[in-house]
Amino acid sequence: FTWTLYTWKKLVHLDLKGAPPRVEYLHRLIELFSELGVDGLLVEYEDVFPYDGELKLLQATAQPAYSRDEVLSMQEFARSKGMEVIPLVQTFGHMEFVLKHRSMWHLREVAHCVGTLNPHREEGVKVVMEMLRQVVELHPGLSTLHIGADEVYMLGEGEESKLWLASPGRTVEQLFLSHVTKVARAVKEAWPHMTIIMWDDMMRGMSLDTLKASGLVGLVQPMLWDYTPNLDVSKTVSLLEKYCSAGMADLWAASSFKGSTSVYTCVTSTQRHLDNHLQWLKVAASLSPAVNMKGIAITGWQRYDHLSVLCELIPVAIPSLAVCLQTLLHGQFSAEAQSLTPTCVADTVFPGRRLAELIVELNALLNSEDIRFFENSMFVRGWFSPYQRQRKTVTPLITMQIHNQASLFLATLQQKVEAVREEMAKLYPDSTVQEWIEEHVSPVTAPLQRITEDVAACLKEMVP
């Protein structure tokens, strides 16, 4: 079965909707991916794509979008390393980066759901097609396009959808299919030779008959995603077989090397992602010959969605990616793959390794009980409670010890944070550095800072 999986294309997903790497670092990563045996990149630009004209407002403001030249040079460099580039453009759900803009509010399915497009407005389809047109135009010779379409939350809840669904025999499934079919057909009309990939999750519950009659047969290639370490093999196999029986024999898998543990994970758990890939190997071994698996996208989410916090940065996840790729290439977790696990990170030179080491060290500090729960320590709770602080009735001797300890923790953290900041700024824009520190460090340092200030204020009242 190793051989069958060996024929799968291996794509690495670059999620640029958070922490978009500086161009030089992006090129170093692409070089590394090619050394690890990657066949292509699945690139999700979102707001760092240089949208123009009426779509210029979609460009990020926190950090500059990539320039047209940078997007072209990234593709050229990937091609020179034997890798194809497949852009992923969301066309239905997860359109937060479009629908958050006031001038686009009226295109939401429901007002309070920023991600889902109203499928009844012709203007919405026009916006989607203009996004696709600009992306395709900036990818010369493009042959494959991913149109997203996962997690279309609240579909059917809008007023126009309720009216549409009031007609007998109409379902939310049909509503979903009609929009995706409309988009896919428009893509084929504009670019007849384009292969179209889409996420599969909205189709999982559909019957064989619904899928057969969907209009998507022969139009799209579903990509079934499952990032869990305990992926249900038989369920996944039967889903893939169902799509195949419906006439969609060309299929893709999607696994994960980072960004799927929790929404705010800071350091990647390699074991979790290795287990996910071992389960996918079992799926590959169990499929009937009728199923034509085109490849697997190894996803690396940087945010769960446009408005959520950052997941792990790429450098801390490179050992995980290496292990996952080696596992797919060898059909098992071999000794060769093992030599690339995080325990050996110190011996493996990879781009961003220094930052990865610093993040792991800082993360350990931030999560040490002494620091994280300093406010709950016996001395603070016993001699420097909110009640005592407010009334400035404190024991100077113990309070000074508390101050010294808090100051020491702050100094230790500050030193490590500065090292992280300096290293991170080499690889990522300043806005990413700022966001990462405010998310991970500030919540831990702020209470310590407050204690030192409160101690100083109280001591003024108590000590001559």
Side-chain angles (χ1 to χ4, degrees), residues 278-463:
L278 292 172
Q279 293 302 92
W280 271 112
L281 286 175
K282 291 178 196 166
V283 171
S286 313
L287 291 168
S288 72
V291 179
N292 178 27
M293 292 303 290
K294 306 287 287 182
I296 185 166
I298 306 165
T299 64
W301 299 98
Q302 195 52 76
R303 298 187 194 278
Y304 276 25
D305 66 48
H306 180 77
L307 298 168
S308 65
V309 299
L310 292 170
C311 307
E312 316 98 290
L313 297 180
I314 291 173
V316 292
I318 286 175
S320 167
L321 176 62
V323 165
C324 296
L325 277 162
Q326 292 302 309
T327 301
L328 292 179
L329 286 165
H330 296 278
Q332 59 182 344
F333 186 45
S334 62
E336 191 177 337
Q338 208 151 358
S339 71
L340 285 161
T341 55
T343 50
C344 312
V345 163
D347 314 322
T348 316
V349 178
F350 60 82
R353 182 188 122 187
R354 182 70 194 124
L355 178 59
E357 289 171 343
L358 288 168
I359 286 177
V360 169
E361 289 166 15
L362 176 57
N363 187 60
L365 264 182
L366 292 169
N367 285 305
S368 67
E369 296 213 346
D370 286 352
I371 290 180
R372 192 166 272 275
F373 302 114
F374 185 69
E375 283 191 295
N376 284 331
S377 69
M378 181 185 81
F379 287 105
V380 176
R381 289 186 65 176
W383 281 272
F384 204 57
S385 71
Y387 179 88
Q388 291 160 320
R389 281 186 228 187
Q390 207 177 355
R391 285 160 182 73
K392 299 192 168 51
T393 53
V394 299
T395 308
L397 182 64
I398 294 178
T399 315
M400 284 160 84
Q401 286 175 336
I402 291 170
H403 184 279
N404 293 346
Q405 188 58 68
S407 301
L408 184 64
F409 285 151
L410 277 170
T412 309
L413 284 169
Q414 217 39 57
Q415 194 183 0
K416 193 62 77 179
V417 170
E418 283 319 306
V420 167
R421 186 195 297 275
E422 192 184 329
E423 202 58 37
M424 200 181 286
K426 295 175 188 172
L427 312 182
Y428 288 101
D430 296 343
S431 56
T432 297
V433 182
Q434 187 67 24
E435 181 181 358
W436 193 92
I437 289 172
E438 282 188 33
E439 284 294 348
H440 292 288
V441 181
S442 302
V444 180
T445 54
L448 293 171
Q449 194 68 50
R450 228 177 4 254
I451 284 177
T452 59
E453 288 162 9
D454 288 355
V455 168
C458 287
L459 289 177
K460 266 188 195 159
E461 305 287 323
M462 299 288 292
V463 179

Side-chain angles (χ1 to χ4, degrees), residues 73-361:
S73 81
M74 181 264 289
Q75 293 169 69
E76 226 164 276
F77 189 66
R79 264 200 303 275
S80 76
K81 298 287 170 193
M83 283 188 274
E84 71 170 315
V85 173
I86 300 172
L88 189 162
V89 182
Q90 286 288 6
T91 56
F92 204 175
H94 281 306
M95 287 188 64
E96 294 91 352
F97 83 105
V98 178
L99 300 174
K100 71 177 183 181
H101 297 284
R102 189 177 284 271
S103 61
M104 302 281 186
W105 284 5
H106 65 291
L107 296 177
R108 297 178 188 176
E109 169 72 340
V110 289
H112 59 277
C113 178
V114 189
T116 299
L117 187 74
N118 176 338
H120 307 279
R121 301 262 170 106
E122 212 38 59
E123 193 190 336
V125 178
K126 274 200 183 116
V127 168
V128 162
M129 290 312 296
E130 179 57 20
M131 284 161 60
L132 292 173
R133 189 194 65 74
Q134 292 194 20
V135 169
V136 172
E137 185 252 325
L138 204 53
H139 290 74
L142 187 67
S143 59
T144 308
L145 181 63
H146 195 312
I147 60 166
D150 58 322
E151 300 182 326
V152 187
Y153 301 129
M154 307 296 290
L155 183 60
E157 298 294 320
E159 291 312 311
E160 288 164 89
S161 288
K162 284 176 181 169
L163 268 174
W164 189 88
L165 289 165
S167 295
R170 284 181 173 174
T171 64
V172 174
E173 289 182 347
Q174 287 172 345
L175 182 57
F176 171 79
L177 292 167
S178 68
H179 176 78
V180 175
T181 308
K182 191 189 288 184
V183 171
R185 283 192 181 133
V187 168
K188 282 289 192 191
E189 206 172 300
W191 308 284
H193 304 296
M194 193 71 75
T195 297
I196 304 169
I197 301 174
M198 67 177 279
W199 295 120
D200 84 299
D201 53 283
M202 295 295 291
M203 303 189 287
R204 288 177 194 174
M206 293 181 190
S207 69
L208 197 56
D209 289 341
T210 302
L211 289 169
K212 279 181 181 170
S214 68
L216 289 178
V217 176
L219 204 53
V220 299
Q221 299 179 353
M223 182 179 271
L224 193 154
W225 58 272
D226 193 323
Y227 313 140
T228 54
N230 53 353
L231 174 154
D232 187 324
V233 174
S234 62
K235 208 166 149 185
T236 305
V237 167
S238 65
L239 250 179
L240 289 165
E241 298 285 358
K242 178 173 80 170
Y243 295 145
C244 181
S245 303
M248 296 187 272
D250 291 337
L251 294 160
W252 295 78
S255 58
S256 162
F257 75 94
K258 80 173 195 79
S260 58
T261 304
S262 82
V263 68
Y264 48 77
T265 300
C266 180
V267 174
T268 308
S269 155
T270 299
Q271 187 62 51
R272 181 187 172 88
H273 299 287
L274 166 63
D275 290 343
N276 175 238
H277 285 78
L278 292 172
Q279 293 302 92
W280 271 112
L281 286 175
K282 291 178 196 166
V283 171
S286 313
L287 291 168
S288 72
V291 179
N292 178 27
M293 292 303 290
K294 306 287 287 182
I296 185 166
I298 306 165
T299 64
W301 299 98
Q302 195 52 76
R303 298 187 194 278
Y304 276 25
D305 66 48
H306 180 77
L307 298 168
S308 65
V309 299
L310 292 170
C311 307
E312 316 98 290
L313 297 180
I314 291 173
V316 292
I318 286 175
S320 167
L321 176 62
V323 165
C324 296
L325 277 162
Q326 292 302 309
T327 301
L328 292 179
L329 286 165
H330 296 278
Q332 59 182 344
F333 186 45
S334 62
E336 191 177 337
Q338 208 151 358
S339 71
L340 285 161
T341 55
T343 50
C344 312
V345 163
D347 314 322
T348 316
V349 178
F350 60 82
R353 182 188 122 187
R354 182 70 194 124
L355 178 59
E357 289 171 343
L358 288 168
I359 286 177
V360 169
E361 289 166 15

